[in-house]
Amino acid sequence: GAVVSQHPSWVICKSGTSVKIECRSLDFQATTMFWYRQFPKQSLMLMATSNEGSKATYEQGVEKDKFLINHASLTLSTLTVTSAHPEDSSFYICSARGGFSGWSIGNTEAFFGQGTRLTVV
Amino acid sequence: DAKTTQPNSMESNEEEPVHLPCNHSTISGTDYIHWYRQLPSQGPEYVIHGLTSNVNNRMASLAIAEDRKSSTLILHRATLRDAAVYYCILRTNYGQNFVFGPGTRLSVLP
């Protein structure tokens, strides 16, 4: 199956600094990438959807100026947490979806990165 | 995406079959039923998906009720490595993303 790679797997940063998380699709072109956040003992919550070459669409309640998303190529999307605070500590997960050639969206599996554990101290 | 309902948790003994239920009474005719699982500290992993007919792959089987209002993920022989949170998700042809519910936390006892 397709592989989505996230980097780093974990990061610890000081409060007030910015952190960049990369999400790469290794063997397919990801026209759309999704960024999720997961707090302990909770399910994944969608933060934003990004399409290559266009601005990301953020879910309600997610600050677009704080969580900067760049999807500059078909294989790379980045999430930058700016001026991170302890409450931003979470598990961040990306997902990628390729284009479709005869397959419907519903009939296509999603591919997820391994996640990035962010701890802000 | 339509809503699904799963038990919060289930237990199984190692090497025994596990049947994980999912109710989706508001499913529409074009919704696919997807199952993913999430091992501790990892991203979700695809397990299986189907539309109307039962499906089998190397990981599991998916049994879909005739009225499609429920489905069951079947792990034929649970191993300790199958301990994870299992998510049942309905996927439309129009929805962009996957909407995750709480899922079922499966514990496998040695």
Side-chain angles (χ1 to χ4, degrees), chain A residues 34 38 43 97 104 106-107 110, chain B residues 34 36 38 49 93 96 98 101:
Chain A
F34 308 95
Q38 185 176 33
S43 190
R97 196 194 79 193
S104 65
N107 197 17
Chain B
H34 284 244
Y36 289 76
Q38 187 177 22
H49 78 281
N93 283 330
Q96 275 273 55
F98 280 77

Side-chain angles (χ1 to χ4, degrees), chain A residues 4-109:
Chain A
V4 174
S5 177
Q6 256 182 268
H7 177 82
S9 297
W10 59 271
V11 58
I12 300 173
C13 72
K14 291 185 177 180
S15 186
T17 62
S18 296
V19 174
K20 180 183 285 187
I21 302 170
E22 293 187 348
C23 179
R24 294 181 183 273
S25 56
L26 299 186
D27 54 359
F28 69 104
Q29 293 184 327
T31 53
T32 305
M33 286 189 174
F34 308 95
W35 286 95
Y36 294 84
R37 179 167 54 182
Q38 185 176 33
F39 292 108
K41 305 294 184 185
Q42 295 186 24
S43 190
L44 284 76
M45 295 297 295
L46 180 69
M47 298 176 66
T49 302
S50 72
N51 293 296
E52 185 266 337
S54 62
K55 289 185 178 180
T57 302
Y58 291 81
E59 294 300 300
Q60 192 172 8
V62 178
E63 300 175 58
K64 61 180 181 180
D65 295 329
K66 181 171 184 61
F67 299 98
L68 302 179
I69 293 173
N70 185 292
H71 191 165
S73 79
L74 285 171
T75 59
L76 174 65
S77 177
T78 60
L79 167 67
T80 302
V81 183
T82 62
S83 186
H85 289 99
E87 57 264 31
D88 298 323
S89 299
S90 188
F91 192 51
Y92 291 86
I93 303 165
C94 71
S95 173
R97 196 194 79 193
F100 301 93
S101 53
W103 286 73
S104 65
I105 293 176
N107 197 17
T108 306
E109 65 193 83

